[in-house]
Amino acid sequence: ANTVTVAISGASLGAGSIGLFELTAGSLDQTSTGVNANTNTPTPGSITTASNGSFFIACGSLDNGFGFGSGWFTAGSGFTINDEVGGGNMNSADEYQAQATAGAITGSFGTNFAGITGANAGSMITFKP
């Protein structure tokens, strides 16, 4: 059995989310991050892999998104939404994809909000098989 403990305190209390994935085998390959202002789509960036079968995890957060409790985010091309938290000033989601053939993948999210939000951030990691 695995145990994960998270302690959030101070100004961050209530302003974040934690997404957990359990992976079998593989090793950390690459990371990518992106920060934008005044858009409604977090962009974690792009990664180009050299190994077939890489596994991608992307996370995105919107500040002042005024989102719904769920149904706020849509998955990027080829990705599946894993978890989503929203409903106020902080909205976040994570998504994943298993890549059959090595190459470039861009982590992205769509949203069901047509307006402009505050700052947003995204990050993506890959694992080699």
Side-chain angles (χ1 to χ4, degrees), residues 15-31:
S17 66
I18 305 297
L20 299 175
F21 288 82
E22 183 175 355
L23 303 175
T24 304
S27 60
L28 180 63
D29 185 21
Q30 299 179 56
T31 64

Side-chain angles (χ1 to χ4, degrees), residues 24-101:
T24 304
S27 60
L28 180 63
D29 185 21
Q30 299 179 56
T31 64
S32 175
T33 59
V35 177
N36 299 295
N38 301 320
T39 68
N40 63 3
T41 53
T43 52
S46 296
I47 293 177
T48 301
T49 60
S51 302
N52 292 344
S54 293
F55 188 77
F56 289 73
I57 299 172
C59 303
S61 296
L62 292 172
D63 185 23
N64 296 324
F66 307 107
F68 310 108
S70 63
W72 171 256
F73 289 93
T74 57
S77 178
F79 283 87
T80 300
I81 293 284
N82 180 64
D83 188 35
E84 178 178 21
V85 176
N89 287 337
M90 180 58 68
N91 303 275
S92 63
D94 50 64
E95 61 186 7
Y96 64 91
Q97 178 179 159
Q99 182 188 41
T101 305

